[in-house]
Amino acid sequence: MPLIEANWNPSPRQLRQFGIICLIAIPLVAWFWFSESTQIIVIAAIAGGVAAVAGLVYPKTLLPLFVVLMVVATPIGMVVGELAMMTIYFLVFLPIGLLFRLMNRDRLDRSLQREASSYWMPKKRPSSLSSYYRQS
């Protein structure tokens, strides 16, 4: 199962939501890239408004823009997702595992016991029925 899946056939509801998002996202991206040019920001705001109205009136008009942005965003999402998973593994789980190995911590008792005839551990019986409902 991939971390990100591309939606190549969005529903009309998703296209309407995409149109509403365009109303805010297009001018915001233009402001971020061209903050010194007010004309470009105004043109981007108009384009976002047109996309929002088109998405509300006839959502299928936004399908080509949606697919193009999906083609651009999917590889970026895949790379960022893999980098995030690697970062979490190498900065969280690996140091904890190494620390536990240095401390000789083995909570699952997976150590090799050559003198043991079996690894079977007898299960402790509950003291009473009320202990089934105790959470600690």
Side-chain angles (χ1 to χ4, degrees):
M1 183 175 109
L3 290 175
I4 184 170
E5 291 184 14
N7 183 7
W8 303 112
N9 192 15
S11 67
R13 180 173 186 248
Q14 289 172 325
L15 289 172
R16 275 190 225 99
Q17 291 171 348
F18 177 68
I20 299 294
I21 290 170
C22 284
L23 180 64
I24 297 169
I26 293 175
L28 193 64
V29 168
W31 174 73
F32 184 70
W33 279 349
F34 308 105
S35 60
E36 68 279 346
S37 177
T38 309
Q39 280 183 327
I40 295 176
I41 297 172
V42 169
I43 292 170
I46 292 170
V50 168
V53 170
L56 291 174
V57 175
Y58 190 67
K60 289 291 182 184
T61 57
L62 293 179
L63 185 62
L65 178 63
F66 184 88
V67 170
V68 165
L69 289 177
M70 191 63 68
V71 166
V72 170
T74 300
I76 295 170
M78 288 180 181
V79 170
V80 169
E82 292 295 324
L83 288 175
M85 295 299 284
M86 283 179 17
T87 302
I88 290 169
Y89 176 77
F90 285 115
L91 294 180
V92 176
F93 294 115
L94 184 67
I96 291 173
L98 291 175
L99 181 68
F100 284 171
R101 178 134 333 181
L102 289 173
M103 293 171 35
N104 289 328
R105 182 175 186 219
D106 188 17
R107 298 292 287 187
L108 296 178
D109 198 22
R110 298 182 327 142
S111 60
L112 185 64
Q113 300 168 358
R114 296 191 188 276
E115 68 278 353
S117 60
S118 172
Y119 286 102
W120 182 262
M121 307 264 303
K123 182 179 184 254
K124 291 190 285 186
R125 295 274 182 195
S127 58
S128 67
L129 289 177
S130 64
S131 68
Y132 283 115
Y133 299 110
R134 192 179 65 224
Q135 296 292 314
S136 60

